[in-house]
Amino acid sequence: MRAGAEALMQERDRLNRLDADIGDGDHGANMARGFAAAVERLNGAGDALAPADAMRSVGITLLSKVGGAAGPLYGSFFIGAAGALRDRSADAVDAAAWADALDAAVAGVQRRGKAQAGDKTMLDALFPARDALRAAVGDSVTLADALAASAEAADAGAEATVPLLARKGRASYLGERSIGHQDPGATSSALLLHALAQTWKRPSQ
Ligand code: ADP
Ligand code: MG
């Protein structure tokens, strides 16, 4: 979460610019503010928090602190993940558990936002990331490699939103004019999954 907050802070302006192209220009600010609040709350709770409780805390913070579409959608993402990680200690969150968590997180976004693949939303990064993580777990690669493959798939998915016509959210008001721009939410999803993969690669983990 800390690495994610840092990445969002660093990329805030780029995410705002992407959102200015096809929305209202606030996605970077929304995400950076929401994650800063989420991390502050986690820091206050101490390091003994179980994974599911940490995920739920982040989800609730994003739901309550981030306006716009992304707050409730990312809130549903983390609350979905929390459900899948219920009763697991940090040591028990292995590659299969992460794959289950990402499944449930993506299902949470889809339940809330009702978008389909190709609608030019964060799901166009999250679906391929989820599928890549599941496939990597099936190939029994290390968790670090599985998460890296998932983040790469999210990048490719985010880039592939450029030629799409937006069918959900604010960008959909633009119709054809949404074509030719990368979706900001797909971009922030890829950023977060990279932060996760990077964190797992660190020797201390
Ligand atoms: P707002 O559009 O309210 O200003 P943000 O700018 O923070 O909110 O977030 C915009 C992002 O939200 C989009 O780039 C898109 O990825 C995502 N989004 C919008 N609507 C949906 C939806 N129904 N399902 C999934 N993602 C969505
Ligand atoms: Mg916006």
Side-chain angles (χ1 to χ4, degrees), residues 19 24-27 170:
D19 194 33
D24 56 357
D26 64 355
H27 187 63
R170 219 177 268 282

Side-chain angles (χ1 to χ4, degrees), residues 19 24 26-27 30 68-70 73 113 115 121-122 168-170 183-186:
D19 194 33
D24 56 357
D26 64 355
H27 187 63
N30 285 344
L73 289 161
T121 71
M122 59 177 73
K168 286 280 178 207
R170 219 177 268 282
D183 180 64

Side-chain angles (χ1 to χ4, degrees), residues 61-149:
T61 305
L62 296 179
L63 267 174
S64 59
K65 292 256 154 91
V66 182
L73 289 161
Y74 275 114
S76 303
F77 180 91
F78 287 103
I79 290 167
L85 296 175
R86 201 174 29 228
D87 303 329
R88 274 184 193 266
S89 66
D91 293 345
V93 182
D94 55 9
W98 274 118
D100 290 345
L102 191 54
D103 271 0
V106 171
V109 173
Q110 203 177 17
R111 214 166 24 245
R112 179 161 292 252
K114 308 274 185 288
Q116 304 294 325
D119 283 350
K120 197 180 182 100
T121 71
M122 59 177 73
L123 286 170
D124 290 315
L126 292 172
F127 284 141
R130 173 198 68 186
D131 295 345
L133 183 55
R134 181 64 68 195
V137 168
D139 292 342
S140 29
V141 300
T142 66
L143 177 55
D145 286 346
L147 292 174

Side-chain angles (χ1 to χ4, degrees), residues 15 18-19 22 27 31 70 74 120-123 125-126 158 182-192:
L15 294 171
L18 289 175
D19 194 33
I22 55 170
H27 187 63
M31 295 299 290
Y74 275 114
K120 197 180 182 100
T121 71
M122 59 177 73
L123 286 170
L126 292 172
Q182 184 163 320
D183 180 64
T187 310
S188 61
S189 287
L191 266 175
L192 287 170

Side-chain angles (χ1 to χ4, degrees), residues 36-62:
V39 165
E40 204 177 288
R41 188 154 152 178
L42 287 182
N43 286 339
D47 280 343
L49 215 55
D53 295 333
M55 293 282 179
R56 184 168 296 100
S57 163
V58 170
I60 289 168
T61 305
L62 296 179

